[in-house]
């Protein structure tokens, strides 16, 4: 697989050092491995001479979501709950949600500033929030597709101001209670990237009587051979491979790599099993997971359920389109054409139009804060992922590497989208 090795070597070359190490896997619908390999260094310091491997442990961040979504859809298949059942009757924290509809007073007096070092909005004089009772049900379908009304506070100015008012920090958390914020719209009426999958995971825990990690180990990891995937790496250090070093680019995409502090960027150590961003895994393990999906779902999901995972389901796509094509395009859809029409399924962002030279219409994709990225093209029968450990999210150098690798996959099989 010299072509893939050459691409990875180019993007991890020590002269540029924009990516210290990267691994890549791709499978087809027959279960055949198109490529599995890695190049570069496990550490930022090249003098260590420790090569990156496909089984290096990595923090998945939001790449956790697709694994957790599959777990939740499994309990739907088992009849433990329906996709459109009201989760407010199951999870106490969801029972009496309020919607943040605005604030008292003039916005100009808030002293709003963007803190570049912490990558968050700050408010010297946050206003008193205005809330109203939510009346619509919160369902698994809405939680998985980010249509429930929840939103990540670091991506919502309104929630950032709300948290400033109640003197709560904005950032990544290791406890689900930190994501127990007001909704920003009535469930099912809009779209916002959110901790909805964290709450869907909590639903699973209640109806199964297991933690999400326990359930995942028995019903996903053991079924496909994922031996190095967990929410709790610290409890398994003697059995896990070495972790790839977390790198940070404080000067921009082509700036110097510096060592990232885990407490700044990850949820480690986890208090709860946060299905939206708490999993640690390897590129090799994630490849085994993708292989099961792209080859038809077994032994993880029935084909009918698998189709729901990658079928758009958002009723009002106005805000989703704005986020993907404009406000957060750099992190949500930089690998797509600017005018690509998108929806969101129960497992990821769905491209409703073909991606030239690469994916067919109906393909799905997502990634994570630490810049791992995956895609699944069920029509062509291809799925793959790149793993890196670089912050912040949406690194354009990693994205360019990913696009080149994916293009080579389609060139190799001769089925590129036109």
């Amino acid at each position: 697989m010299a072509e893939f090795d050459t691409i990875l070597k180019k993007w991890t070359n020590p002269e540029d050092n924009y990516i210290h190490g990267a691994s890549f896997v791709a499978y087809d619908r027959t279960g055949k491995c198109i490529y599995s390999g890695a190049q570069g260094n496990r550490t930022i310091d090249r003098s260590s001479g420790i090569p990156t491997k496909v089984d290096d442990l990595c923090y998945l961040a939001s790449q956790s979501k697709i694994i957790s979504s599959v777990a939740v859809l499994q309990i739907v298949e088992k009849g433990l709950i329906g996709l459109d059942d009201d989760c407010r009757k199951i999870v106490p924290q969801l029972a009496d949600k309020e919607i943040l509809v605005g604030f008292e007073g003039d916005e100009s007096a808030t002293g709003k500033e963007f803190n570049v070092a912490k990558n968050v909005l700050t408010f010297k004089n946050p206003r008193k929030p205005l809330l109203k009772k939510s009346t619509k049900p919160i369902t698994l379908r809405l939680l998985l597709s980010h249509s429930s009304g929840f939103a990540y506070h670091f991506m919502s100015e309104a929630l950032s101001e709300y948290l400033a008012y109640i003197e709560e920090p904005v950032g990544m958390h290791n406890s689900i209670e930190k994501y127990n914020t007001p909704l920003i719209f009535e469930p099912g009426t809009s779209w916002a990237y959110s901790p909805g999958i964290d709450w869907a995971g909590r639903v699973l825990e209640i109806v199964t009587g297991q933690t999400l990690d326990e359930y995942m180990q028995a019903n996903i990891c053991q079924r496909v051979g994922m031996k190095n995937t967990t929410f709790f790496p610290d409890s398994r250090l003697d059995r896990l491979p070495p972790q790839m070093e977390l790198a940070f680019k404080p000067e921009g995409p082509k700036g110097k790599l510096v060592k990232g502090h885990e407490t700044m960027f990850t949820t480690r150590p986890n208090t709860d099993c946060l299905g939206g961003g708490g999993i640690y895994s390897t590129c090799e393990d994630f490849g085994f997971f993708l292989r099961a999906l792209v080859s038809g779902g077994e032994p993880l999901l029935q084909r009918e359920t698998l189709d729901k995972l990658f079928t758009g389901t958002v009723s009002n796509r106005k805000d989703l389109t704005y986020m993907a094509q404009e406000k957060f395009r750099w992190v949500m859809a930089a690998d797509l054409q600017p005018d690509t029409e998108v929806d969101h399924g129960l497992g990821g962002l769905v491209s409703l139009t073909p991606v030239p030279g690469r994916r067919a219409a109906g393909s799905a994709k997502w990634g994570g804060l630490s810049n791992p990225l995956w895609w699944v093209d069920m029509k062509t029968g291809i799925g793959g992922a790149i793993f890196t450990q670089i912050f912040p999210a949406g690194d354009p150098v990693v994205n360019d590497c990913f696009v080149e690798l994916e293009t080579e996959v389609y060139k190799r099989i001769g089925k590129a989208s036109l």
Side-chain angles (χ1 to χ4, degrees):
M1 299 296 177
E3 296 89 351
F4 294 106
D5 290 338
T6 299
I7 293 169
L8 284 170
K9 284 179 181 178
K10 179 181 78 171
W11 290 100
T12 59
N13 75 80
E15 279 123 16
D16 292 333
N17 204 28
Y18 303 141
I19 302 175
H20 55 304
S23 50
F24 180 71
V25 293
Y27 284 89
D28 69 16
R29 63 161 52 97
T30 70
K32 177 185 175 182
C33 180
I34 298 170
Y35 179 80
S36 176
Q39 294 290 335
N41 229 50
R42 186 194 302 154
T43 63
I44 300 167
D45 180 6
R46 299 276 182 165
S47 65
S48 70
I50 304 175
T52 302
K53 297 182 179 179
V54 291
D55 65 347
D56 285 344
L57 190 68
C58 294
Y59 171 52
L60 296 196
S62 287
Q63 194 130 316
S64 305
K65 287 179 168 64
I66 182 66
I67 301 175
S68 302
S69 293
V70 167
V72 171
L73 288 178
Q74 286 180 342
I75 67 170
V76 173
E77 283 190 344
K78 294 175 182 179
L80 299 179
I81 185 174
L83 267 177
D84 298 308
D85 289 352
D86 192 349
C87 297
R88 296 180 300 175
K89 300 176 181 179
I90 298 171
V91 181
Q93 295 96 323
L94 302 182
D96 296 301
K97 296 305 296 179
E98 293 183 306
I99 302 171
L100 179 60
V101 294
F103 298 88
E104 291 183 356
D106 186 356
E107 181 183 1
S108 63
T110 62
K112 178 177 67 175
E113 290 183 352
F114 184 75
N115 185 315
V116 177
K118 295 185 177 180
N119 199 37
V120 296
L121 280 172
T122 61
F123 297 83
K124 292 181 180 178
N125 302 298
R127 297 167 292 172
K128 181 179 179 180
L130 300 174
L131 303 163
K132 74 172 185 179
K133 184 78 177 291
S134 172
T135 61
K136 295 184 180 295
I138 297 174
T139 68
L140 286 178
R141 188 186 304 276
L142 298 179
L143 290 170
L144 295 179
S145 64
H146 304 286
S147 304
S148 65
F150 278 108
Y152 279 125
H153 33 66
F154 46 82
M155 294 180 73
S156 166
E157 184 172 323
L159 282 180
S160 293
E161 185 172 357
Y162 168 84
L163 290 175
Y165 183 83
I166 65 171
E167 299 182 345
E168 283 286 338
V170 173
M172 298 293 291
H173 297 298
N174 63 0
S175 168
I176 197 167
E177 282 299 333
K178 293 293 185 179
Y179 293 121
N180 190 15
T181 59
L183 309 179
I184 62 170
F185 54 81
E186 278 283 12
T189 63
S190 189
W191 188 92
Y193 192 45
S194 73
I197 296 173
D198 298 290
W199 289 107
R202 184 67 188 122
V203 172
L204 179 148
E205 291 183 327
I206 292 173
V207 301
T208 65
Q210 298 176 283
T211 68
L212 182 54
D213 188 71
E214 291 169 340
Y215 182 91
M216 178 182 70
Q217 296 300 331
N219 295 278
I220 295 178
C221 297
Q222 291 180 21
R223 292 185 185 183
V224 299
M226 299 168 71
K227 297 179 180 179
N228 299 308
T229 300
T230 179
F231 282 94
F232 303 107
D234 295 309
S235 66
R236 297 174 53 185
L237 291 178
D238 59 329
R239 290 169 286 159
L240 291 171
Q243 184 172 348
M244 188 174 183
E245 194 166 68
L246 295 159
F248 183 54
K249 293 182 177 180
E251 300 171 1
K254 294 190 176 181
K256 181 181 178 182
L257 288 173
V258 299
K259 188 173 181 179
H261 300 289
E262 289 186 3
T263 54
M264 287 174 60
F265 306 109
T266 77
T267 58
R268 190 170 180 175
N270 282 321
T271 301
D272 298 320
C273 298
L274 295 176
I279 297 177
Y280 289 76
S281 187
T282 68
C283 190
E284 181 179 57
D285 269 17
F286 198 82
F288 297 154
F289 173 76
L290 288 181
R291 179 176 61 187
L293 299 185
V294 79
S295 59
E298 296 292 344
L300 298 179
L301 293 173
Q302 299 169 15
R303 182 54 193 254
E304 181 182 359
T305 307
L306 180 69
D307 289 342
K308 294 176 182 176
L309 194 68
F310 302 130
T311 300
T313 188
V314 178
S315 60
N316 180 0
R317 292 191 282 121
K318 180 182 178 181
D319 285 338
L320 171 59
T321 299
Y322 169 65
M323 292 289 190
Q325 292 185 351
E326 297 183 48
K327 187 173 182 180
F328 289 110
R329 170 175 158 70
W330 57 277
V331 67
M332 284 178 60
D335 59 317
L336 304 178
Q337 298 296 107
D339 58 349
T340 300
E341 190 177 356
V342 296
D343 201 334
H344 203 288
L346 304 182
L349 189 73
V350 178
S351 303
L352 300 180
T353 48
V355 182
R358 295 154 57 210
R359 303 168 214 166
S363 300
K365 55 90 64 169
W366 204 245
L369 174 65
S370 49
N371 282 286
L373 299 161
W374 64 265
W375 94 95
V376 167
D377 178 349
M378 293 301 298
K379 182 177 180 180
T380 309
I382 296 292
I386 187 173
F387 270 44
T388 63
Q389 292 287 271
I390 293 173
F391 301 98
D395 186 278
V397 181
V398 176
N399 182 75
D400 288 346
C401 177
F402 176 61
V403 169
E404 191 168 343
L405 288 163
E406 185 190 338
T407 301
E408 182 61 35
V409 169
Y410 284 89
K411 189 186 302 180
R412 191 171 195 82
I413 65 173
K415 291 184 179 180
S417 171
L418 300 177

